[in-house]
Amino acid sequence: MSKNNQDRIWVKNSDAQAELFLSVKRRNAAVMKKWGQKHTLLLYTILFFLVALCGYLVLFKDGRSTVYASDGIGQYYPAFLYIGQYVQEFFRNLLRGTPAFPLFDLSIGMGEDVIGVLNYYGFGDPLNLLAVFVTKENSAWLFTVLFFLRLWLAGIAFRKYCDVMRLDRVIAAFGALCYVFSGFAIYGGAMYSEWASVLIYFPLMLLGVEKLFRPGGKPYALVFAVAYGALCGFYFLYMCSLALGLYCAVRLIALYGVKNRKVIVQRCIHCLLWYCLGIFLAAPFLFPALQAFLGSERSGSNIFDIICDVRNYIPHGNDKLGALLYDAFPDGRNYLLGIGPLQVTAVFLLLRMRGSRSVWQLRCALAIALVGLHLPITDYLFNAFGESNDRWVFLIQFFLAVVVVFAVSCVKRADTSHTEKKLILGMVYILAPLQFTAVIWNVFLSDGGDWIENFIRYDDCAVYVDSPYCYSDILQEDTELFRVSNDSLTGINGRPENVAMLHDYHGLTYWFSMINGNVQTCVNQWLDAALNWRSYGFDHIAVYETFSGVKYDMRNDNGAVADNFRLADTVSFHGQSWHIYENEDYFGLACVRDRRESQRLWEEADGYADYYSALLGQIGDNHEVTALTYDKSTNHITCEVNVEAGAELLVLIPYSENWRAAVDGEAVEIRRTDIMYMAVMPDAPGEHEIRITYHNTAFTAGMICMAAAAAILFLYQITFLFSRTILHNPRAM
């Protein structure tokens, strides 16, 4: 073999060895990177459970759950149980071959849209699918586990964001603890369980736009995060969307400069389109929730007056900044707590750093956050001008946690004195977990120790979601369609309980953030009150209860009972005697009346009670309503009527534009009457079959949007795979 051939073979072998060496090196680097990621995940998980165990030890030792008194036990916990029952029933029907997805439930309040009312409490949150495992015995435990699971996942989302921003992973583990054990999480997340969900999807939304800012970035992270947020509810999604727009503006100016307006506009439009796609994916839940909001009393604020009020642009005197630094409890804004020495030190380091592009962005965000924190208009803006509160401060908590990671990462990489670096890193690795534990411990011991007392013990949770209804054979065996009136079952914080929906009976009491505006208007006008999104019943006023379809009145006192109510049963409910009274004037949840005569009675009546007393005398045996049924699985109400000329069917179920009526199969108009009820008038006298169906148009529109969004994502992925495998590799043909 000639020397030239030997040289060529040697060079060829050397290239092959070099390529082999590089491939092994790349593979080893990938393995080490993967192991490093697992290591930091394990570090974060260990620290999370240590802080949670130490901080919440006082809770665990006393046998208390994270079910909080007032809103927690009255709204979020019953909603969680209802979601579990709903999912269980859905799968049972699916296995039977009769799938059903009820959109209206007569047992929620006085009859409400399921998604519209309960989406605010997590009906749609993918994590709440775990409620399928709910039983009477484990419900409070599962509720508590989900609280900590949400916090842990929030830390994971924060770490993923830090990865995209190329920040130190070890420091990010401690920054995640700053984030998930902030005052917003330990106060707001504990009192209102769905508040913890926003801590998960907000970092993912920022992660998503960061990927789109970069060449070749994929939109899936943003689409998923927006869809997740929309499924969890529009309330915090709205706040996150405002913050996301501001974030994009600052980041794009920093990346491309003010002069590159065309590129900035293109990137914004790109992000906006994928954001809308995420909205459409969650539209079957988001649209009904928005529809319910617009139909509730919460949508009635005067935005123009708020914007034009000069006082809203003057910093208020409340020490909100102090509340971020120490246990001040100003005006009860406990969820501002949780910022300690580590965050303060990180901000101090940020202000001392040289003015690089990253430092400029963080300083700009810090200035915006501090100014916004002290302006009343910010609170109105982030609450859609419905009310003024600080529930948006999770944005500040997130930002300060990022500052911690950025500042300490810079110190770790910087060429500074060994002593200074050792001092700062020592504070992070040693003092940080102790600081977080101290913060949480301080929260539980603050406010005179009342905080811990507001969490319900596991053994006591059952009584707050139970009802005397379940202990009465008369009520259980009665197959008619009726409502039940009752006193407060437990008297916790003087709030009405949302328990009827858990036992599938129909009541008069409720406390929900979103309620049919017609219902609330009726409750307020009948009682001459302004209760705001709740009802304690109708004060046992006989005519009001009768014209609410009340057949039974459950009471545990010895107060006076109306003459038309007779004692039917007595039951024992958690050590108390409850009396069941039957309404002798009960005529059902529907009746036939003469429309003109009813109008005359109203014009001559002296108030609502007088009107209904006169109307009760008008209803006779010649106006019959028979075979009245309500099928929740198909959203149908049907009955047979025998009417005379000019008579109409009065249905004592809350009116909504989503109801549709048909008489003998022919569509007819539904009229809203008596403030909140429905009236259907047949075209001719005689016997008729009337069917009223609940058809949520927002849900239907949402399903269409979801299908379109899914198709777009599918086509996008197919196009991407085609371009990668065919266009960039012609030989694949």
Side-chain angles (χ1 to χ4, degrees):
M1 183 181 292
S2 66
K3 187 176 186 330
N4 289 337
N5 288 335
Q6 289 178 352
D7 290 342
R8 281 195 295 270
I9 292 173
W10 183 85
V11 170
K12 184 177 180 181
N13 290 337
S14 297
D15 291 343
Q17 290 175 357
E19 181 63 28
L20 178 63
F21 172 77
L22 290 175
S23 65
V24 172
K25 184 178 180 180
R26 284 193 294 267
R27 185 169 65 252
N28 290 339
V31 172
M32 291 302 296
K33 182 179 180 180
K34 185 176 181 180
W35 273 101
Q37 185 176 4
K38 286 186 176 181
H39 174 74
T40 53
L41 175 60
L42 181 62
L43 172 66
Y44 161 70
T45 302
I46 292 174
L47 290 175
F48 175 86
F49 281 103
L50 283 175
V51 176
L53 180 62
C54 295
Y56 288 86
L57 184 62
V58 64
L59 189 76
F60 302 144
K61 286 178 62 178
D62 204 24
R64 295 182 182 270
S65 66
T66 57
V67 180
Y68 194 72
S70 63
D71 284 350
I73 196 66
Q75 297 181 61
Y76 289 88
Y77 184 57
F80 174 72
L81 297 181
Y82 181 89
I83 292 169
Q85 294 175 359
Y86 191 100
V87 176
Q88 290 170 1
E89 187 63 22
F90 174 81
F91 283 113
R92 276 195 292 266
N93 289 330
L94 200 62
L95 293 175
R96 296 189 194 109
T98 57
F101 193 80
L103 298 176
F104 179 86
D105 194 339
L106 194 57
S107 67
I108 301 177
M110 292 185 67
E112 292 288 339
D113 185 276
V114 177
I115 300 176
V117 172
L118 297 182
N119 177 251
Y120 182 86
Y121 303 104
F123 191 90
D125 184 347
L127 279 179
N128 277 338
L129 289 176
L130 294 175
V132 70
F133 301 109
V134 157
T135 65
K136 290 183 178 180
E137 293 74 24
N138 70 3
S139 55
W141 289 94
L142 187 57
F143 187 85
T144 301
V145 168
L146 274 178
F147 166 70
F148 289 106
L149 177 61
R150 284 189 173 93
L151 293 188
W152 181 75
L153 289 174
I156 298 295
F158 179 87
R159 289 179 64 256
K160 290 295 183 183
Y161 172 78
C162 291
D163 281 349
V164 170
M165 302 305 290
R166 298 184 178 90
L167 298 175
D168 188 283
R169 288 181 172 178
V170 177
I171 306 302
F174 292 98
L177 294 180
C178 287
Y179 180 53
V180 302
F181 289 112
S182 64
F184 179 89
I186 55 184
Y187 265 96
M191 290 189 291
Y192 320 105
S193 57
E194 278 304 304
W195 285 28
S197 296
V198 67
L199 301 177
I200 301 173
Y201 63 79
F202 177 65
L204 297 179
M205 291 174 68
L206 302 187
L207 180 153
V209 295
E210 284 293 339
K211 288 189 174 183
L212 285 177
F213 289 162
R214 299 168 188 183
K218 300 298 182 295
Y220 303 116
L222 177 61
V223 172
F224 165 79
V226 173
Y228 186 95
L231 288 172
C232 292
F234 67 88
Y235 184 69
F236 282 109
L237 177 68
Y238 167 79
M239 301 181 198
C240 291
S241 300
L242 291 182
L244 186 66
L246 191 60
Y247 178 90
C248 289
V250 174
R251 284 287 290 150
L252 288 172
I253 291 174
L255 290 173
Y256 299 105
V258 181
K259 295 182 179 180
N260 294 323
R261 298 185 185 90
K262 184 177 180 180
V263 178
I264 292 176
V265 172
Q266 288 176 345
R267 294 293 183 187
C268 286
I269 294 175
H270 194 204
C271 291
L272 181 61
L273 291 176
W274 289 114
Y275 173 93
C276 292
L277 198 70
I279 292 291
F280 286 165
L281 278 179
F285 287 86
L286 180 62
F287 287 2
L290 289 174
Q291 183 189 59
F293 169 73
L294 295 175
S296 70
E297 290 186 331
R298 285 187 179 270
S299 61
S301 299
N302 193 327
I303 300 177
F304 182 79
D305 290 345
I306 295 174
I307 293 177
C308 296
D309 192 342
V310 179
R311 294 172 296 179
N312 290 329
Y313 301 90
I314 301 175
H316 41 59
N318 294 333
D319 187 14
K320 289 191 175 184
L321 182 60
L324 288 169
L325 303 176
Y326 58 87
D327 186 0
F329 284 94
D331 299 338
R333 284 186 296 273
N334 303 325
Y335 45 83
L336 291 174
L337 298 174
I339 307 304
L342 189 59
Q343 292 92 323
V344 174
T345 304
V347 171
F348 176 74
L349 292 173
L350 176 68
L351 297 177
R352 285 191 56 195
M353 290 178 183
R354 296 179 180 179
S356 66
R357 185 169 60 180
S358 299
V359 172
W360 174 84
Q361 294 174 70
L362 290 175
R363 287 178 179 174
C364 180
L366 178 63
I368 294 173
L370 292 180
V371 171
L373 183 64
H374 289 84
L375 293 180
I377 191 64
T378 309
D379 292 340
Y380 282 113
L381 174 64
F382 276 91
N383 284 275
F385 300 95
E387 56 185 8
S388 175
N389 56 52
D390 303 321
R391 293 175 180 176
W392 59 276
V393 295
F394 68 91
L395 302 170
I396 297 180
Q397 307 279 13
F398 172 83
F399 165 71
L400 290 175
V402 172
V403 171
V404 168
V405 181
F406 175 81
V408 179
S409 297
C410 290
V411 171
K412 187 177 179 180
R413 294 193 302 263
D415 185 17
T416 59
S417 66
H418 180 70
T419 303
E420 181 181 1
K421 183 182 295 188
K422 186 176 181 180
L423 177 64
I424 295 175
L425 295 180
M427 178 185 66
V428 175
Y429 291 119
I430 299 175
L431 298 180
L434 298 178
Q435 175 211 357
F436 303 137
T437 304
V439 168
I440 300 171
W441 191 269
N442 181 54
V443 166
F444 279 111
L445 295 183
S446 296
D447 200 20
D450 291 340
W451 172 252
I452 183 66
E453 298 296 328
N454 284 323
F455 286 97
I456 310 299
R457 288 186 173 88
Y458 289 105
D459 296 338
D460 297 335
C461 286
V463 66
Y464 297 115
V465 290
D466 200 359
S467 172
Y469 177 90
C470 304
Y471 299 86
S472 172
D473 293 336
I474 291 178
L475 294 178
Q476 294 290 311
E477 295 171 0
D478 195 329
T479 58
E480 281 194 275
L481 189 59
F482 59 85
R483 284 198 177 97
V484 176
S485 177
N486 62 266
D487 292 331
S488 178
L489 304 181
T490 60
I492 182 170
N493 294 331
R495 294 175 177 241
E497 296 86 354
N498 298 324
V499 301
M501 63 182 184
L502 300 179
H503 304 287
D504 200 26
Y505 69 91
H506 316 121
L508 300 180
T509 61
Y510 58 81
W511 183 305
F512 294 108
S513 289
M514 303 297 165
I515 206 74
N516 185 321
N518 297 319
V519 175
Q520 196 59 54
T521 299
C522 183
V523 170
N524 291 344
Q525 289 191 17
W526 282 10
L527 299 180
D528 191 22
L531 298 178
N532 296 329
W533 324 303
R534 61 188 179 273
S535 171
Y536 297 91
F538 294 122
D539 289 343
H540 302 290
I541 299 174
V543 291
Y544 288 161
E545 292 193 338
T546 300
F547 275 91
S548 300
V550 170
K551 185 176 183 179
Y552 297 101
D553 192 339
M554 302 188 303
R555 305 181 66 170
N556 69 339
D557 59 17
N558 294 318
V561 180
D563 293 337
N564 58 313
F565 280 84
R566 64 174 183 82
L567 182 63
D569 195 8
T570 300
V571 299
S572 177
F573 175 69
H574 294 274
Q576 294 182 335
S577 292
W578 279 72
H579 306 295
I580 314 297
Y581 297 93
E582 185 174 357
N583 184 3
E584 295 181 338
D585 289 336
Y586 166 78
F587 54 77
L589 250 64
C591 64
V592 175
R593 68 179 182 182
D594 186 289
R595 182 171 177 177
R596 291 184 179 180
E597 180 65 15
S598 299
Q599 181 64 32
R600 185 189 65 79
L601 292 176
W602 169 247
E603 293 172 353
E604 296 176 356
D606 183 17
Y608 289 104
D610 187 37
Y611 163 68
Y612 283 114
S613 296
L615 184 59
L616 186 60
Q618 184 205 76
I619 300 172
D621 294 336
N622 57 326
H623 300 304
E624 295 182 354
V625 177
T626 59
L628 179 64
T629 61
Y630 163 60
D631 188 348
K632 184 169 67 173
S633 62
T634 58
N635 305 300
H636 287 156
I637 299 170
T638 59
C639 66
E640 296 177 0
V641 298
N642 183 12
V643 299
E644 297 177 354
E648 65 179 358
L649 177 71
L650 174 64
V651 184
L652 305 181
I653 292 176
Y655 170 84
S656 167
E657 294 181 354
N658 290 325
W659 287 107
R660 302 288 184 270
V663 177
D664 299 327
E666 297 292 330
V668 296
E669 181 184 358
I670 297 180
R671 183 174 65 91
R672 182 172 69 87
T673 184
D674 292 62
I675 307 176
M676 69 168 172
Y677 291 143
M678 296 185 287
V680 177
M681 177 176 284
D683 293 333
E687 296 183 356
H688 301 279
E689 180 186 69
I690 297 180
R691 167 169 287 194
I692 304 175
T693 305
Y694 191 80
H695 179 78
N696 193 321
T697 53
F699 178 79
T700 303
M703 290 295 291
I704 296 172
C705 290
M706 183 185 70
I712 292 173
L713 275 179
F714 177 75
L715 292 175
Y716 175 84
Q717 180 64 15
I718 292 297
T719 304
F720 169 74
L721 293 175
F722 176 80
S723 63
R724 188 177 68 174
T725 58
I726 304 300
L727 299 182
H728 294 286
N729 186 16
R731 294 182 180 180
M733 298 291 289

